Amino acid sequence: MSINWFPGHMAKARREVEENLKKVDVVIEILDARIPNSSHNPMMDEITKHKPRVVVLNKVDMADPKATDRWLSKFKSEGKYPVALDGRHNQIIKKIEPLAVKATAEDFNRMEEKGIRRRAIRAMIIGIPNVGKSTVINNIARKKGAKTGNTPGVTKQQQWIKAGQQMELLDTPGILWPKFEDEATGKKLALTGAIKDTVVPLDEVAIFGMQHLLEWDPERFNAFYNISASQDDDIVTVFDAIGKSRGMKSSGNEINYEAVTNRVIHDIRNGKIGRYTFDKVDAQ
Ligand code: GDP
């Protein structure tokens, strides 16, 4: 689903999130493990204020494992409670719940000291579109296909879902907008499917992806498309090689660049070529 984020939508989304935040003890922020920085809404820290934060690096099956380890360490060092997982798997609650318990331990201990009886930990999920919020919620709720209001402005009665042994989760996620701070961020968001509409020209997205994959691991890229390209090649040569190898030609026997563009984006987006992380920890 594509959402056009106009300032009015952003203000409304923010208000909705802030309203829901009052009801919870802990925030579960879902990020795409391939772009932990680009899939993070920069206003998140301001909006969530001092709520403890569990950070889920979702889609870990498509991210570079070494980079994921670095991101986990970084988030830990910032006092967050991170975990990397594949939101489609059952049992993810067993990974998330212990972190929510740890994240809220101090607050709950303080309440107990004041004589307030222990209750379930209340949590809500927040993230930009397409990072896997509904997948995670549905998985925890074990209601496959359960509808979650995914559009800001679509209000529905909220419910608490029992999540694990001592947690309750709001069944509607908080949806924040993606950031477009710079061109590279926009391209990474498009490359991973966080934005599917053509906010960024697709040929530029494909070129950005091809250049990175050729830089990081030319052998894998070449083997996948059965070509022999290098990062020093003119990018049109690479398009030509893929088009030729995959038989993507239009009527005049010309390479169909649009088809190559769409194919490369599809392959990267769906992790077909390999596991890549486009945001590097050191580059932050
Ligand atoms: P939302 O907009 O944040 O609620 O995102 P969705 O839950 O609708 O997920 C977006 C897409 O990502 C769907 O096609 C999911 O099947 C897919 N997806 C979610 N989690 C994972 C994951 O961990 N790994 C992979 N490979 N795909 C996932």
Side-chain angles (χ1 to χ4, degrees), residues 30 58-62 85-89 127-136 138 148 150 173 196 270:
I30 312 254
N58 192 38
K59 309 198 184 188
V60 72
D61 53 296
M62 295 196 282
L85 49 83
D86 178 339
R88 297 166 306 170
H89 283 181
I128 67 165
N130 296 315
V131 288
K133 298 180 299 300
S134 314
T135 305
V136 168
N138 288 339
T148 49
N150 218 359
K196 286 184 179 145
N270 295 293

Side-chain angles (χ1 to χ4, degrees), residues 1-162:
M1 179 178 308
S2 77
I3 301 169
N4 292 314
W5 292 97
F6 296 113
H9 293 140
M10 293 184 186
K12 188 160 193 281
R14 179 178 176 153
R15 243 188 346 262
E16 281 178 6
V17 167
E18 281 174 336
E19 211 41 54
N20 284 332
L21 268 172
K22 293 181 192 155
K23 306 174 193 163
V24 302
D25 307 299
V26 58
V27 171
I28 302 171
E29 183 185 18
I30 312 254
L31 300 175
D32 186 319
R34 297 169 294 175
I35 47 166
N37 184 47
S38 304
S39 60
H40 168 77
N41 178 304
M43 264 195 193
M44 181 76 185
D45 306 290
E46 191 194 318
I47 294 173
T48 57
K49 306 225 167 60
H50 304 298
K51 295 273 175 190
R53 184 128 39 108
V54 171
V55 175
V56 172
L57 293 176
N58 192 38
K59 309 198 184 188
V60 72
D61 53 296
M62 295 196 282
D64 170 12
K66 284 199 191 109
T68 299
D69 284 344
R70 282 188 216 115
W71 277 108
L72 288 171
S73 305
K74 177 175 162 56
F75 285 124
K76 261 186 218 150
S77 74
E78 292 172 350
K80 292 168 191 149
Y81 295 83
V83 61
L85 49 83
D86 178 339
R88 297 166 306 170
H89 283 181
N90 292 331
Q91 310 290 326
I92 50 171
I93 188 61
K94 289 196 176 146
K95 292 188 174 170
I96 296 175
E97 190 182 20
L99 290 177
V101 171
K102 266 193 217 160
T104 54
E106 212 177 291
D107 291 343
F108 273 85
N109 288 342
R110 212 176 300 129
M111 285 201 280
E112 270 182 334
E113 276 164 23
K114 285 188 196 158
I116 301 168
R117 228 165 59 115
R118 206 173 175 86
R119 55 163 173 78
I121 299 164
R122 294 186 192 129
M124 74 177 286
I125 281 181
I126 300 186
I128 67 165
N130 296 315
V131 288
K133 298 180 299 300
S134 314
T135 305
V136 168
I137 293 175
N138 288 339
N139 230 331
I140 291 175
R142 302 244 173 87
K143 284 186 292 184
K144 293 273 155 58
K147 194 179 177 311
T148 49
N150 218 359
T151 313
V154 175
T155 30
K156 77 175 196 100
Q157 197 59 44
Q158 281 182 328
Q159 283 173 4
W160 292 101
I161 301 164
K162 189 170 160 24

Side-chain angles (χ1 to χ4, degrees), residues 268-284:
I268 296 176
R269 216 175 242 181
N270 295 293
K272 304 274 181 213
I273 307 174
R275 300 173 66 169
Y276 299 102
T277 299
F278 292 94
D279 281 337
K280 305 293 180 197
V281 171
D282 298 337
Q284 305 316 310

